[in-house]
Amino acid sequence: MAEPDLDTDKLDDAALAILSLTLHDGNRVWKGIDWSITDRPHAKGLIHGPIGKAKSLAMTEDRLARAEAALVELFVRPLSIDPKRSEP
């Protein structure tokens, strides 16, 4: 996948929303993803290896394709068209 022009403000908001699922002690959050977020896709057979000491997991091929599509749909900035540029 080519390097997309990501809307990092949207990514930051999404990260904060996900981190908020681990909220505790007032305003503290864990730096990792809440296990329930990985447990559901694991139960559906969409990812492998969320349980254990490893800090990574594996996505199935179709889930990887869906993740890439979601990244584009949710976080890639639309191409801006320069009105001064004429089309050939």
Side-chain angles (χ1 to χ4, degrees):
M1 185 162 111
E3 283 293 318
D5 182 20
L6 298 176
D7 186 334
T8 54
D9 290 334
K10 284 184 180 180
L11 280 169
D12 294 346
D13 288 345
L16 291 172
I18 291 170
L19 286 170
S20 75
L21 297 172
T22 66
L23 188 65
H24 64 96
D25 296 336
N27 65 341
R28 308 277 307 164
V29 296
W30 296 106
K31 293 191 283 185
I33 293 176
D34 185 273
W35 285 24
S36 67
I37 293 173
T38 56
D39 287 347
R40 288 187 302 271
H42 180 254
K44 295 175 184 175
L46 304 173
I47 60 173
H48 308 287
I51 301 167
K53 293 183 180 182
K55 293 188 178 188
S56 65
L57 51 83
M59 288 191 222
T60 60
E61 289 297 318
D62 62 323
R63 192 52 31 181
L64 183 57
R66 182 171 173 183
E68 290 173 350
L71 180 69
V72 169
E73 180 182 335
L74 297 170
F75 301 111
V76 171
R77 295 180 197 273
L79 290 175
S80 60
I81 299 173
D82 186 352
K84 296 176 186 174
R85 186 176 148 205
S86 62
E87 301 257 345

